Amino acid sequence: MLDRAGYDRYLAAFNARDYDGVADFYVDPPHMEFFGIVITSRQELKDFYAWLHDNVEENVRVLNFAASETCTAIDAIVRITAKKDLTRAALDAKGATGFFPITAGVVQEIRQFIFYTTRGGRIEKVECALPPMALETV
């Protein structure tokens, strides 16, 4: 089970940009599909987040948390601050077709529901959903 204490350790590694530490929370190979991105290996996971965080600052604030033996569910605010312009063309070229374009210096707060399928306390699959009107530019 990925309980709240374990998730907090995962989130601390994520927010610290410790991609090896983040990858350690996943089964090998991981399977993630969100907003056009598909990740099927530990290296793809590390490469994607290195690319993303080269372009934006990203921080996750948990609003609600639930966990069972096979699922951890998060209701969160994801705060994105653009370091560089990310155009529609640049996002599409990376396969991030469901991401929102953003201009350097702009801050977006996005409410997300993140569902982690877990096996043996490790993340096996990640799915994300946005409620209607989930994006707010701050």
Side-chain angles (χ1 to χ4, degrees):
M1 169 185 255
L2 182 58
D3 63 11
R4 182 60 193 255
Y7 189 78
D8 286 345
R9 287 190 305 276
Y10 167 78
L11 197 54
F14 182 85
N15 287 336
R17 309 302 177 242
D18 174 5
Y19 304 124
D20 281 315
V22 168
D24 288 344
F25 280 87
Y26 287 82
V27 298
D28 195 13
H31 181 78
M32 299 169 68
E33 291 185 43
F34 54 93
F35 310 123
I37 297 295
V38 177
I39 295 172
T40 59
S41 75
R42 181 180 176 101
Q43 191 60 51
E44 286 177 356
L45 183 143
K46 291 168 49 176
D47 291 346
F48 169 73
Y49 281 116
W51 169 82
L52 182 65
H53 296 144
D54 184 51
N55 289 282
V56 302
E57 275 298 318
E58 178 183 28
N59 290 291
V60 178
R61 180 171 47 97
V62 175
L63 301 176
N64 295 292
F65 177 92
S68 71
E69 288 300 317
T70 59
C71 180
T72 297
I74 308 299
D75 170 13
I77 300 294
V78 178
R79 183 180 174 93
I80 304 288
T81 305
K83 298 178 190 177
K84 304 173 185 175
D85 290 349
L86 274 176
T87 64
R88 174 82 276 142
L91 290 167
D92 290 352
K94 188 66 176 175
T97 56
F99 280 60
F100 299 105
I102 190 169
T103 303
V106 170
V107 177
Q108 295 173 341
E109 289 192 344
I110 306 165
R111 188 163 187 190
Q112 288 186 23
F113 303 112
I114 309 167
F115 300 94
Y116 302 88
T117 301
T118 59
R119 180 171 30 101
R122 293 188 178 239
I123 300 166
E124 184 172 45
K125 183 177 181 181
V126 179
E127 300 169 281
C128 298
L130 301 175
M133 303 305 291
L135 174 68
E136 178 181 332
T137 300
V138 186

